[in-house]
Amino acid sequence: MTSQLLKSEKSVASSQTRHNPRIRIQIPVFLRGTDALGVEFIELTKTLNISSSGACIACAHLLQLEQVIQLTIPSPSPSTSGLVPNETPPISARVLRQESIGDLRLFGLEFVHPLT
C-alpha cells in the first residue's frame, strides 16, 4: 500500500479534470488530518493553486487517496475587536491525486462543498 501511495501519478489534461479554472496563488493554510500511518497531524503549508472546487497543496505528510482532510486559512494578524475571526471555518477536501518531486509531495484536492 505504501508503494502505491509514494508513486507519482501522471497529470491528466486539465480539460479532462477541471470543472472550474484554477488561480495560481500561494495561500497559507493549516492542514489537519491523519497521515497514512494513522497519526493525527496539523501542518502549516500553502496552496499552489485554487479554484471554487479544489486546490493543489504541498504537504510533508503522506496522505491516502480518497481521504478527507481539513483546511483552514489563518488570518494575517489577531483582531482585538473580535469582529474578524482568527481563521476561516474548516474546509473539507478529498485527496484525489498525489505527485512526489524529491521530498516534496503535492496533492490535488477536491472540496467536499465547493466554495461560493
Side-chain angles (χ1 to χ4, degrees):
M1 180 163 121
T2 303
S3 63
Q4 177 187 6
L5 294 172
L6 290 175
K7 72 178 183 179
S8 295
E9 294 188 1
K10 299 291 182 193
S11 297
V12 179
S14 62
S15 63
Q16 295 175 354
T17 61
R18 303 282 185 261
H19 298 289
N20 300 300
R22 294 218 171 161
I23 300 169
R24 294 183 65 149
I25 186 168
Q26 294 184 8
I27 301 171
V29 293
F30 284 112
L31 173 64
R32 292 177 173 93
T34 305
D35 66 18
L37 301 174
V39 178
E40 289 186 20
F41 69 89
I42 182 168
E43 176 182 341
L44 179 60
T45 187
K46 61 186 173 185
T47 65
L48 300 177
N49 62 52
I50 190 166
S51 75
S52 63
S53 60
C56 178
I57 62 162
C59 179
H61 292 84
L62 185 59
L63 305 176
Q64 296 180 10
L65 298 178
E66 296 299 319
Q67 90 173 82
V68 176
I69 50 93
Q70 303 292 314
L71 300 170
T72 52
I73 302 169
S75 68
S77 62
S79 172
T80 56
S81 69
L83 297 175
V84 178
N86 290 336
E87 59 184 27
T88 62
I91 301 166
S92 296
R94 181 173 292 106
V95 178
L96 294 183
R97 288 181 295 285
Q98 172 184 309
E99 182 177 352
S100 296
I101 304 171
D103 292 338
L104 181 65
R105 294 185 182 103
L106 303 178
F107 293 92
L109 307 176
E110 177 184 48
F111 298 140
V112 173
H113 302 287
L115 305 177
T116 56

